[in-house]
Amino acid sequence: MQMTAKQQAGAASRNMVDWQAIDWPKVRRNVRRLQARIVKATQEGRWNKVKALQHLLTHSFSGKALAVKRVTENQGKRTAGVDGETWNTSRKKATAIGSLRQRGYRPQPLRRTYIPKRNGKLRPLGIPTMADRAMQALYTLALDPIAETLGDPNSFGFRTGRSTADAIGMCFHLFSRQGSPQWILEGDLQACFDRISHDWLLANIPLEKTILRQWLKAGYMEQHILHPTETGTPQGGIISPVLANLTLDGLQSALQAAFASSRQGQRTQVNLVRYADDFIITARSKEMLENEVRPLVEGFMRERGLALSPEKTSITHIEDGFDFLGQNVRKYDGKLLIKPAKKNVQTFLAKVQEILKTNQQTPTGKLIGSMSSLV
């Protein structure tokens, strides 16, 4: 059945639609228009209006179609949840649009899997079902405009149009000048995604509380055993990065409020650069970071159920340098140099050696192609 323009812009039709006939530019325009209205209402502090616009977006055909498109075209499109389902045909995708209904919705437990970390340990991932992924993607469309509007200026992770390169660029801006801050607090949170307080999220995240609570309490399946989830947001959930950003946003303004640009005639030089749950904070002295900045950060995190890692959180002088987002930032005789961190170089060289070792008979052209995938 061909969609009408009214169906594309308004509420989802329960009739089967033709996936191939969907006007995707128009769908994106409809979603962007509603998101722009959410941004404006957020800036004006009209939270009832925000809630109404979120409801309109999450119940619209365009929002649901775009959510299904996202989860069926990303890298995890072939990865099933606990139900073993994937949406790999146009008919399944079209059916999925009509199935995204809030009334009676109950998310299924996550499928627990593990991926190796750089330090040799394993990172747990929670894989939702396709239906739950699509529902999360739908509500992310409604939550993202608020996160972007309220986000810390120096927050660069999981944000549209921002990257690790922007975060490193901010580091260059902070440290390249004469008279730049000399001391750095390297912040590391203990299992950030796993420990965020559910109570804090439910009290502070501007999202449908019933839906959010069900996602947070869905639990996960491991070796056919259901495990409850009392804290945290699952790594692997589409909405989790936005929830984590909203949880950590506000730290920059808290630092600015506590440490004005001038204190008794001296600049405090307190600045934050954050990428997801990795962050650095600068200051003019080690004592300020130890006695004033770190206690403030610990209190901020404690409210959210989080804590700094005592082993990995450290205070460093710029002339000793620090690693951040795979780069080493350091001053040599007053000159700032930013270069790949030593451990990242070693990891890269190990991968090159492995490719060379296992492809000794491979033609040069193909070998170069294999190497290019590492960059």
Side-chain angles (χ1 to χ4, degrees), residues 116-166:
K117 297 171 65 174
R118 188 173 297 166
N119 59 10
K121 296 182 180 180
L122 295 176
R123 183 192 305 277
L125 286 183
I127 309 299
T129 64
M130 292 295 292
D132 292 332
R133 262 178 270 175
M135 191 67 85
Q136 288 190 21
L138 176 60
Y139 276 83
T140 299
L141 291 173
L143 188 60
D144 227 6
I146 301 173
E148 284 297 313
T149 305
L150 302 179
D152 286 342
N154 288 357
S155 165
F156 297 96
F158 303 118
R159 296 186 65 182
T160 304
R162 297 189 174 207
S163 65
T164 54
D166 297 312

Side-chain angles (χ1 to χ4, degrees), residues 209-273:
K209 303 303 179 186
T210 303
I211 298 287
L212 178 58
R213 181 179 290 104
Q214 290 186 75
W215 284 333
L216 296 176
K217 304 296 185 182
Y220 64 90
M221 296 290 294
E222 186 173 15
Q223 296 181 347
H224 305 290
I225 298 174
L226 176 62
H227 300 265
T229 46
E230 300 302 329
T231 60
T233 62
Q235 294 190 61
I238 286 178
I239 204 168
S240 293
V242 184
L243 295 178
N245 264 343
L246 284 167
T247 300
L248 298 176
D249 281 331
L251 179 57
Q252 185 171 352
S253 57
L255 290 167
Q256 290 173 343
F259 307 99
S261 61
S262 177
R263 179 185 293 180
Q264 297 178 351
Q266 293 182 317
R267 291 185 59 82
T268 61
Q269 298 181 324
V270 175
N271 302 283
L272 169 76
V273 182

Side-chain angles (χ1 to χ4, degrees), residues 14 18 28 61 80 84 87 121 127 138 151 170 178 184 192 196 205 231 257 263 288 292 320 355-356:
R14 295 192 179 184
D18 184 352
R28 291 188 180 92
F61 175 88
W87 297 339
K121 296 182 180 180
I127 309 299
L138 176 60
M170 179 56 67
Q178 190 174 9
I184 303 97
C192 175
I196 299 175
I205 299 300
T231 60
R263 179 185 293 180
M288 175 173 283
E292 300 182 61
D320 296 323
I355 290 176
L356 292 174

